[in-house]
Amino acid sequence: MKKPIIILTTLALITLGGIYTKHQYDEKQEKVKTAELELFDKAKKRMTDYINANYKDIGKIDFSNKYEIDPMGGINAEGYLNGNKEKEFWGIYDNSNDTITSSYVDAKEKPECKDKPCEY
């Protein structure tokens, strides 16, 4: 009679432990995803500042919702300009230095920003 009770109690404890572990894992994944989205929003803001400071005739900046985080912690931001999907841009935002480290923008640079990127 005691053997079935011990087996059921053990199974219940294992099940509860698994449920608790899964809950903890899900919470951690949610925090990681939230941190990534906050970083992506910051990257979009800095990319907007960078484009507006260094390029002329920019009316509207549309961002893609996809992003990648590289192993060094940089995150890419990409999209298109002025509602024209052929006028593409992309850039890598370096969070530790709060700068755009590498970029391509299909627009005309401001003359004062050709040799060295302007402050943004």
Side-chain angles (χ1 to χ4, degrees), residues 49-87:
D49 294 344
Y50 172 79
I51 290 171
N52 286 327
N54 289 282
Y55 297 90
K56 56 185 175 177
D57 301 324
I58 304 298
K60 183 179 176 187
I61 300 173
D62 294 300
F63 287 91
S64 166
N65 287 328
K66 64 180 187 171
Y67 62 88
E68 291 179 21
I69 299 176
D70 67 32
M72 299 300 289
I75 185 168
N76 73 327
E78 59 186 54
Y80 56 93
L81 304 169
N82 299 329
N84 183 351
K85 292 189 177 187
E86 293 179 7
K87 294 283 193 180

Side-chain angles (χ1 to χ4, degrees), residues 9-108:
T9 303
T10 303
L11 287 174
L13 288 173
I14 290 171
T15 302
L16 289 174
I19 291 170
Y20 177 76
T21 303
K22 174 73 168 118
H23 176 71
Q24 294 290 60
Y25 175 78
D26 289 345
E27 281 184 351
K28 182 179 178 184
Q29 291 302 101
E30 185 66 30
K31 287 179 185 177
V32 167
K33 187 67 173 170
T34 301
E36 284 180 1
L37 290 175
E38 287 174 1
L39 180 61
F40 184 51
D41 287 340
K42 195 173 180 182
K44 290 193 295 188
K45 171 152 181 14
R46 292 302 284 162
M47 190 69 191
T48 300
D49 294 344
Y50 172 79
I51 290 171
N52 286 327
N54 289 282
Y55 297 90
K56 56 185 175 177
D57 301 324
I58 304 298
K60 183 179 176 187
I61 300 173
D62 294 300
F63 287 91
S64 166
N65 287 328
K66 64 180 187 171
Y67 62 88
E68 291 179 21
I69 299 176
D70 67 32
M72 299 300 289
I75 185 168
N76 73 327
E78 59 186 54
Y80 56 93
L81 304 169
N82 299 329
N84 183 351
K85 292 189 177 187
E86 293 179 7
K87 294 283 193 180
E88 298 178 324
F89 70 87
W90 64 266
I92 298 174
Y93 171 68
D94 179 12
N95 190 36
S96 61
N97 294 320
D98 196 32
T99 59
I100 302 297
T101 57
S102 180
S103 68
Y104 165 77
V105 181
D106 188 9
K108 289 189 178 189

